[in-house]
Amino acid sequence: MEDEGDVATAFTLARSLSHIPISRGGPTSLVIFDIHALQERFYFGDAILPCFESGIPLLKSRLQELPDSDNIAIAFPDDGAWKRFYKQLQHFPMIICNKVREGDQRIVRIKEGDARGRHVVIVDDLVQSGGTLIECQKVLAAHGAAKVSAYVTHGIFPNKSWEKFKPDNGGMYPSLAS
């Protein structure tokens, strides 16, 4: 939560959406992309029919179009992201990172996998400020990644934190340049 009145939990939001009246054809369909935790599907009332989709097929299609598509590895910033997405991306080499938060500081380490010489794509469902993405990029670059990109379904970026991803005057993205 950033400000008074922000929705604090997925449960609260699901309860609010569950008060949408039933439509003429029955429950109202609500499409949700890359739900953060599968148990959240049970938070909705009978007036809502949640339909779960994923952006991963779009990502896979885009990755296949890249000139270095045969050199891509997928990195997950934590075990949660790996659990959500590894089955859909198992034909790519994988790198699993471990994230620990100490106050505002994020410490990221590579738990398993090899980034050397690869175009590594960090995949996650939710990004708040982007701090974990940046720390993950630094670790992957330090372990020899040739290039680091990121795919995230839900970018929140409070307090203009997205600005750290804007290119500088030289056309580079200073925080994610490798």
Side-chain angles (χ1 to χ4, degrees), residues 9-12 14-15 18 32 34-45 50 52 80 83-84 125:
T9 66
F11 180 74
T12 304
R15 292 286 308 261
S18 293
I32 301 170
D34 295 319
I35 193 164
H36 187 68
L38 290 176
Q39 69 268 18
E40 292 170 2
R41 69 182 131 183
F42 300 111
Y43 293 174
F44 294 94
F52 301 104
K83 286 177 189 174
R84 274 186 291 289
D125 65 332

Side-chain angles (χ1 to χ4, degrees), residues 68 71-73 114-120 140-141 143-147:
D68 61 351
N71 193 37
I72 291 175
D114 187 5
R116 280 180 292 185
R118 295 231 180 236
H119 174 181
V120 180
L140 292 165
H143 282 84
K147 180 178 180 181

